[in-house]
Amino acid sequence: MAKKISKKTLTRSFHHWFYGNLTCFSQEHMQTFGYLTSMLPIVEELYDKKEDQAKAMHTYTAFFNTEPQLGALIVGVTAGLEEARANDPEGVDEETINGLRAGLMGPIAGIGDSLIVGTLIPVILGIALGLSTGGSPLGAIFYIVVWNLLAYFGMRFAYFKGYELGDKAVEFLVGPKGQAIRKSISIIGGMVIGAVAATWVPINTALKLRNSSGKVYLDLQNQLNSVYPSFLTALFIIFCWWLMAKKNMSPIKVMLLLVVIALIGVLTGFFDPGLKY
Amino acid sequence: MTISWLQAALLGLFACLASMPGMGGTTIGNYTLGRPLVGGLVCGLILGDLKTGIMCGVAMQLVYIALVTPGGTVSADVRAVSYIGIPLAMVAVHAQGLVATSAGAANLAKSMGTLVGTIGTVLFYGTATLNLVWQHMGWTAVEKGNFKKLYQVDWGWPWLSHLVFSFLPTLIMCKLGASAVTALKIALPMDGIPMKTLFTVGALLPCVGIAILLKQIVTSVLDFVPFFVGFTLAASLQLNLVACAVISLIFALLFYEGDMAKLAKAAGGLATTDFDDEDEEDI
C-alpha cells in the first residue's frame, strides 16, 4: 500500500517552517535547523523504524539557506519527494533530494529577495506610510494585517503547491510566464518606490544669493522647483545608487559620506534646517 | 520623557521577537515587528506617546525601506533600529522640545536611529555566533537519533542567545541612553554646527535606503523609468501613494500583456525549447 502524508502532518510541517525557519540561525548552518524541524513530522509519519527515520533525517542535515517566505515552496517539494522515497527507495535517494534542494535555493533566494523583500514589502510599507500622516496608527495596523495575511496564506499556498507539483512548481516561477509576471510586478514596485521617495524624502537647499542691498536675487530652491520638483531628492538618490551599484561602496560608507556632505553643506550655508529652541 | 525599567524590559522583549534571526519567526518577527513603522507603534504604546512613536517609526522606516539581507550580510540590525533607536529618538524629540509631526523631529529621529542601528550590527553577529552552541547540541542529538530535541534547539535555546544579545543590550541602552540623550540638549545647541549637521544627515539618510532598493530592481538604465514616473506623479502632480499604486497597475498590465504576446508568437514559431534551467537540473 502506498504511503501518503496526511494533511494534518503537512500542515504541521508547514507551521514548523513558517515559525522556525530562522529562529536558530548561525552563519555556518543558516536555515538548516529550521529545515530539520519542518521535515521531522513528515519523516516520523512515513517511517516506523528508527533507523529509517535516521537515514531520512540525515538527508536534511545538509546546508540550507534561501529566502524563507518563497522558500516554503522548496520545503513542500521535498515533502513530496520524501513521500516518493518512502514508497520507492530505489527511485529517489538522498542525492536526488539534496541535488534538487541545492539547485533550487539559489534561484528561489534571488527571486524571493527581489520580489518579496525588494518589492512586495516596500509597496505595502509605502502605502502604509501614506496612511500614517499626522502620527496615525492606521498605517502600521494596515501593514501588520495585510503583510501577515499575504505572507501566511502565500507561504501556505507555495508549500502545498510544491508538495503537489514537485519541481514543476518551480518551473513556473523561473519560466517565461513567471518572468513576465515578475517583470510587471517590478514596474509596480519601481513606481511606488518613486512616489515614496518624492513624498517622504524632502531635501531642500537654503542657499539664497543677495545683492548689496540685501535683496534676494537667487533663491536656488525656487529655481530648482521650477525646473523639476524635488530635484535634489532625485539627485541624491541617484548619487547613492551610483556609489553602491557602480562603485561597490557599502551602505555604511555611503552614510558616512553623507555625514561629510551634510557638514560641508551646513558650513557653506547650502543646508540649513532652520531650527531654534 | 523618561524610560522606566519596566518599559525598557518590555522593549527588550520585543527586541528578542523582532530580530533577524528572531524568536517571533521571520514573517511575524523580523518582517512585522522588526519594521520600524510597526516598531514605532509598539514603542509608542509602551512609552505612552503614540503620536511621537509613529512619527519616529515613519521617519526610520524610510531609511530602512529596503532592509534586504542577501546572503545573511547586514548593514543594520532591526532590533537595534526599532527597539533602541526609536525609543531614544522619542526621548530626544521630547528633550529638544520639537513638535512630533515636524520635519525637524523626523530628521533627528533618522540620525539617532541610524546611528544606533549601525552599532547594532554587533548584536546580529553575537546572536548568530551563540546559536552555534545550540546547533552543536543539535548535531549531537541527531547523531544519537534523539530527533525530538531538535525542537528545543530550534525554538527553545536561542532564547538564551537573545537574552544576552537582544534583551540586555536593549534594557541597558534604553535605560541609560535616555538620560544621555536628554543631556545632549544642554551640550549641543540646536543652531550650532553639530546639531545642524545631524538634522541635515537625517534628511539625506533615506536616500541610502531607497538606493539600496533601486539596486535590487535596476539592472539597466531603462529600469529607472518606472521609478521616475512614480517620482514625478508624486512630486509634480502631488498624487498620494495609493493613487500612484493604482496608476502603476495599468503599466504593469501593459507590460504583462506585451510579454505574453511575445511569448505566444515565439511559441508559434518554435516548439517549446525555452526551458534552459531544466537542462541544468538533469545533469
Side-chain angles (χ1 to χ4, degrees):
Chain A
M1 196 185 77
K3 290 178 184 167
K4 188 135 181 54
I5 310 168
S6 68
K7 178 96 197 240
K8 205 179 139 202
T9 306
L10 283 172
T11 310
R12 251 186 86 202
S13 159
F14 165 68
H15 282 149
H16 288 185
W17 178 255
F18 178 75
Y19 173 69
N21 52 43
L22 272 170
T23 43
C24 193
F25 170 95
S26 76
Q27 297 282 1
E28 196 182 339
H29 303 295
M30 295 201 171
Q31 297 163 356
T32 311
F33 277 83
Y35 217 104
L36 285 166
T37 55
S38 341
M39 292 311 289
L40 188 52
I42 288 173
V43 167
E44 280 177 336
E45 187 175 276
L46 287 174
Y47 305 98
D48 296 325
K49 280 197 230 128
K50 200 82 191 161
E51 59 261 39
D52 289 342
Q53 289 184 2
K55 193 170 158 257
M57 283 306 281
H58 182 264
T59 312
Y60 304 101
T61 54
F63 173 84
F64 189 80
N65 188 45
T66 193
E67 198 286 309
Q69 260 83 215
L70 201 59
L73 185 75
I74 306 180
V75 189
V77 171
T78 44
L81 282 173
E82 194 57 60
E83 190 182 83
R85 169 156 77 163
N87 288 315
D88 174 20
E90 307 298 311
V92 181
D93 60 4
E94 182 165 337
E95 252 174 71
T96 324
I97 296 179
N98 267 330
L100 193 81
R101 238 163 46 114
L104 289 181
M105 62 190 194
I108 292 290
I111 296 173
D113 276 345
S114 64
L115 201 68
I116 295 172
V117 191
T119 308
L120 179 66
I121 293 179
V123 167
I124 310 174
L125 278 174
I127 295 170
L129 285 172
L131 298 172
S132 305
T133 327
S136 158
L138 201 65
I141 294 167
F142 170 84
Y143 176 79
I144 294 170
V145 173
V146 173
W147 158 247
N148 280 290
L149 286 179
L150 277 178
Y152 178 79
F153 289 104
M155 283 171 77
R156 211 186 152 99
F157 179 77
Y159 181 96
F160 281 95
K161 273 287 166 240
Y163 169 71
E164 281 165 33
L165 301 176
D167 53 348
K168 281 198 190 61
V170 184
E171 243 165 55
F172 171 76
L173 262 183
V174 295
K177 197 174 173 189
Q179 215 171 359
I181 294 175
R182 269 162 33 216
K183 191 175 157 198
S184 48
I185 290 176
S186 81
I187 304 260
I188 302 178
M191 282 185 66
V192 171
I193 299 313
V196 166
T199 312
W200 288 94
V201 190
I203 299 177
N204 297 314
T205 172
L207 193 73
K208 289 187 174 82
L209 294 181
R210 294 165 200 278
N211 62 16
S212 52
S213 60
K215 203 168 161 278
V216 176
Y217 69 89
L218 178 76
D219 183 336
L220 188 59
Q221 187 59 45
N222 271 347
Q223 293 288 323
L224 289 175
N225 278 347
S226 61
V227 179
Y228 185 59
S230 302
F231 175 79
L232 283 177
T233 305
L235 189 73
F236 268 97
I237 289 170
I238 298 293
F239 178 60
C240 292
W241 172 82
W242 179 76
L243 288 175
M244 282 188 285
K246 299 286 164 192
K247 297 277 146 193
N248 286 322
M249 260 169 102
S250 72
I252 293 187
K253 279 192 188 140
V254 176
M255 286 177 179
L256 288 175
L257 184 66
L258 290 181
V259 174
V260 177
I261 293 175
L263 179 65
I264 295 169
V266 167
L267 289 174
T268 54
F270 190 80
F271 291 123
D272 186 353
L275 289 163
K276 278 188 175 60
Y277 287 122
Chain B
M1 187 182 231
T2 53
I3 298 178
S4 73
W5 284 108
L6 178 68
Q7 286 170 326
L10 278 172
L11 293 168
L13 178 67
F14 273 97
C16 296
L17 293 170
S19 325
M20 200 313 277
M23 298 318 293
T26 310
T27 309
I28 297 172
N30 182 29
Y31 286 128
T32 306
L33 294 172
R35 297 302 99 177
L37 180 65
V38 179
L41 176 73
V42 174
C43 293
L45 288 172
I46 290 176
L47 298 183
D49 183 352
L50 200 58
K51 202 171 187 177
T52 312
I54 298 269
M55 288 322 282
C56 289
V58 166
M60 297 296 306
Q61 186 61 70
L62 289 162
V63 182
Y64 296 109
I65 188 119
L67 213 70
V68 192
T69 52
T73 50
V74 287
S75 55
D77 184 81
V78 282
R79 86 197 90 175
V81 169
S82 295
Y83 296 102
I84 305 175
I86 293 178
L88 291 185
M90 288 172 70
V91 174
V93 165
H94 273 270
Q96 304 282 6
L98 295 166
V99 180
T101 50
S102 67
N107 289 341
L108 181 62
K110 283 175 220 163
S111 300
M112 191 76 102
T114 309
L115 183 68
V116 177
T118 313
I119 298 168
T121 314
V122 179
L123 304 179
F124 166 79
Y125 287 106
T127 318
T129 308
L130 192 52
N131 279 346
L132 279 171
V133 177
W134 325 129
Q135 293 190 336
H136 181 75
M137 289 163 56
W139 293 130
T140 317
V142 168
E143 270 167 36
K144 287 188 186 145
N146 184 10
F147 297 122
K148 292 281 181 218
K149 206 166 176 203
L150 282 172
Y151 295 132
Q152 281 174 37
V153 169
D154 198 44
W155 306 338
W157 292 111
W159 273 104
L160 276 183
S161 313
H162 283 283
L163 181 71
V164 179
F165 288 105
S166 302
F167 184 79
L168 289 177
T170 309
L171 183 77
I172 294 165
M173 284 179 79
C174 285
K175 188 63 194 157
L176 302 183
S179 21
V181 165
T182 312
L184 206 71
K185 182 192 166 173
I186 301 132
L188 300 170
M190 193 113 77
D191 46 3
I193 299 289
M195 278 315 253
K196 271 189 179 176
T197 308
L198 199 66
F199 280 100
T200 307
V201 172
L204 298 179
L205 277 174
C207 296
V208 182
I210 294 189
I212 295 176
L213 207 54
L214 281 175
K215 219 178 121 189
Q216 289 277 315
I217 51 177
V218 172
T219 42
S220 79
V221 183
L222 285 178
D223 295 334
F224 272 116
V225 173
F227 175 81
F228 275 106
V229 173
F231 191 92
T232 309
L233 288 177
S236 305
L237 297 178
Q238 311 283 322
L239 292 184
N240 73 17
L241 281 157
V242 179
C244 291
V246 172
I247 292 176
S248 73
L249 291 178
I250 188 72
F251 288 101
L253 196 65
L254 284 174
F255 266 92
Y256 179 72
E257 295 290 341
D259 275 9
M260 290 321 276
K262 258 187 253 166
L263 278 177
K265 212 173 154 192
L270 289 148
T272 46
T273 50
D274 45 3
F275 283 109
D276 44 359
D277 17 54
E278 203 175 48
D279 301 343
E280 283 165 21
E281 278 160 25
D282 286 343
I283 296 163

